[in-house]
Amino acid sequence: MNGGETTRDDGLTMTNTRNMERIIRLKTVLDRTGLSRSTLYRKIAEGTFPRQVPISVHGAGWHESAINRWIADPGQYQDDGSA
């Protein structure tokens, strides 16, 4: 078995998701930050808010950890360019 997988008594394999990065969508980001949609996108353009990550052809979200870092210190956040 490789990292993060365990086999249950019934033979099914379960993957450990504790180390996986959660992706959150726009509504959740707006709710958590209190920003308006236009302010959020302006801040992304300025580099003062985390960039989105693509999750499908027409969908995008944000790494939850990046949003949490911004919430912890919004005035000091600078996008490091890694999305």
Side-chain angles (χ1 to χ4, degrees), residues 53-66:
V53 293
I55 57 176
S56 70
V57 174
H58 297 289
W62 284 261
H63 287 287
E64 185 176 38
S65 62

Side-chain angles (χ1 to χ4, degrees), residues 5 11 15-16 18 23 31 34 36 38 51 55 61-62 73 75 80-81:
E5 291 184 354
T15 303
N16 180 351
R18 282 182 279 183
I23 302 295
D31 289 345
S36 69
S38 59
R51 294 196 172 281
I55 57 176
W62 284 261
D73 195 356
D80 62 5

Side-chain angles (χ1 to χ4, degrees), residues 41-59:
Y41 286 112
R42 179 177 46 79
K43 287 183 169 297
I44 291 171
E46 294 170 349
T48 58
F49 195 84
R51 294 196 172 281
Q52 300 147 288
V53 293
I55 57 176
S56 70
V57 174
H58 297 289

Side-chain angles (χ1 to χ4, degrees), residues 47-48 69-70 72-79:
T48 58
R69 282 193 307 274
W70 185 88
D73 195 356
Q76 295 300 313
Y77 183 88
Q78 287 294 314
D79 188 19

